[in-house]
Amino acid sequence: MNWFTTPLGAGGVHRATVPGCRKVLVIVPSVVAGTRLLDLLPLLDSDFRIQVYFTLPEPCGSTTRFLSAIGGLVIPWEMALQHEFDLVLAASYRFIDRAPGPVLVLPHGASAMKSRQRVRAAGEGARPVHGLDRQLLMRDGKVPASAIVLSHDQELDVLAESCPEALPAAVVAGDICLDRMRASLPFREHYRRALGVEPGETLVTISSTWTAESTFHQRPELYRELPRSGKVAAVLHPNIWAAHGEWQVRSWLAGSEVMIIPPEEGWRATVIASDVVVGDFGSTTQYAAAVGTRVLLATCPEVRDGSLAHALRRVVPMFAGDIAEAVAVPGFADLISSRLDQAGAILRATMYRLLGIQEPAHAVPVAPCSLTTA
């Protein structure tokens, strides 16, 4: 991009149709982070006082396509670092120590607490981690984030023990992704029709996180052998698509007759439309349980005690060929969020506090989930 075509460039103020805006920078290191931040951005809609910019600290094909599809104004990371922003939004702790402005960081999955026991690259002898570890939250003896979004009061207790220096930045806001899914439940039949599910048909969704411990690697036969009493959909973690490429993913699933849901959006509507989700320790399975969809586990490695995946593993059967064994998990939404249906209001108030301007008077929007990225 030409650095001089945005309102930030030299002489940019003379090109701006809406000058004098507060500047919001959205850091997109991955599609996973980007999709979560898209839940946050509608809270800034209709405000002519704000201009949103996107930046890719490590540009790659998947993130570039993602931002191109949504029509975001993208500026180079090097350019972003030369300016001061009124608010920086992130869904990953990567790069925020260099962020040019006050940072709000939120989880990019269910809970700020990781389900896996250890950092993947750390080896067997590494200590268990939980996602609010001191080494993750601090840089050079300081907490770079101005607002650390938590989903549950229990996470606040963990933070107080692991990194008390971060407590002043903590905001227990609940889970905006879950809130959107709950708001979308009345549209279940609409989603089923859009997916081509006929009345009386069963929709089974196979959910997979990434890594070699996932459904996609551990149980590839499911995509071809799952009982065809209706329709089958596949929801794959965006990192699978990013690491292996769209062509390869579709090639691996060629001939499987499953509906392949795009990684950017559509997975939530598909989960809501499903009769059963067969998944693993990833967030998609947890969100499915939280909105009342019956679930089964295709695989589940050793996970951290007390994690959401551990809670599911205790009550959800392993899939052994019969989807009738799938179970609902009452109360699971309360394990994910202690501020059910409040995330939008809390997050908008936090963003405007960091921006230093008054919140709009209109109600906080809660948009139903979409089956497309448009």
Side-chain angles (χ1 to χ4, degrees), residues 6 22 90 117 148 164 178 231 248 300-301:
T6 77
R22 300 291 174 117
Q117 284 192 309
I148 298 172
L178 176 57
K231 287 187 167 56
Q248 185 62 73
C300 190

Side-chain angles (χ1 to χ4, degrees), residues 336-350:
I336 293 179
S337 169
S338 56
R339 301 290 187 276
L340 286 174
D341 306 321
Q342 301 175 54
I346 297 171
L347 288 169
R348 189 175 79 169
T350 303

Side-chain angles (χ1 to χ4, degrees), residues 227-246:
R228 291 298 195 271
S229 57
K231 287 187 167 56
V232 179
V235 168
L236 307 179
H237 194 285
N239 283 355
I240 298 177
W241 298 83
H244 297 284
E246 180 179 350

Side-chain angles (χ1 to χ4, degrees), residues 205-226:
T205 292
I206 308 170
S207 164
S208 180
T209 189
W210 61 301
T211 80
E213 298 173 321
S214 68
T215 302
F216 196 69
H217 182 258
Q218 294 291 327
R219 302 290 301 274
E221 76 280 1
L222 294 183
Y223 298 93
R224 288 177 172 78
E225 298 176 5
L226 202 67

Side-chain angles (χ1 to χ4, degrees), residues 32-234:
V32 180
T35 55
R36 180 51 56 99
L37 292 168
L38 285 189
D39 283 341
L40 202 57
L41 293 178
L43 303 178
L44 303 175
D45 279 353
S46 306
D47 196 331
F48 275 68
R49 300 171 296 171
I50 292 172
Q51 166 75 57
V52 176
Y53 302 83
F54 298 82
T55 190
L56 305 172
E58 294 178 341
C60 67
S62 59
T63 51
T64 299
R65 288 191 297 272
F66 171 77
L67 288 183
S68 176
I70 66 172
L73 177 57
V74 182
I75 61 173
W77 177 240
E78 295 79 9
M79 181 183 185
L81 295 178
Q82 295 179 18
H83 294 268
E84 189 68 21
F85 290 81
D86 300 288
L87 175 62
V88 179
L89 301 177
S92 166
Y93 287 93
R94 297 173 63 204
F95 306 106
I96 68 168
D97 55 320
R98 301 180 63 196
V103 180
L104 180 149
V105 59
L106 72 164
H108 57 251
S111 172
M113 307 281 285
K114 294 179 174 64
S115 289
R116 63 180 184 270
Q117 284 192 309
R118 296 170 178 84
V119 176
R120 292 185 174 95
E124 290 296 326
R127 293 184 303 136
V129 298
H130 50 57
L132 293 174
D133 299 273
R134 185 183 186 84
Q135 64 267 28
L136 181 68
L137 301 181
M138 297 192 70
R139 295 289 188 279
D140 300 322
K142 298 179 181 180
V143 178
S146 299
I148 298 172
V149 176
L150 307 178
S151 304
H152 205 282
D153 290 322
Q154 291 180 355
E155 296 172 356
L156 197 63
D157 297 334
V158 173
L159 186 65
E161 181 178 348
S162 65
C163 188
E165 297 91 337
L167 280 175
V171 178
V172 182
D175 187 309
I176 193 167
C177 174
L178 176 57
D179 287 357
R180 286 194 64 195
M181 293 181 75
R182 285 165 56 86
S184 301
L185 289 173
F187 302 99
R188 182 174 187 268
E189 291 303 320
H190 166 77
Y191 296 146
R192 288 174 67 85
R193 288 194 298 271
L195 289 165
V197 181
E198 300 293 337
E201 269 193 319
T202 298
L203 173 61
V204 179
T205 292
I206 308 170
S207 164
S208 180
T209 189
W210 61 301
T211 80
E213 298 173 321
S214 68
T215 302
F216 196 69
H217 182 258
Q218 294 291 327
R219 302 290 301 274
E221 76 280 1
L222 294 183
Y223 298 93
R224 288 177 172 78
E225 298 176 5
L226 202 67
R228 291 298 195 271
S229 57
K231 287 187 167 56
V232 179

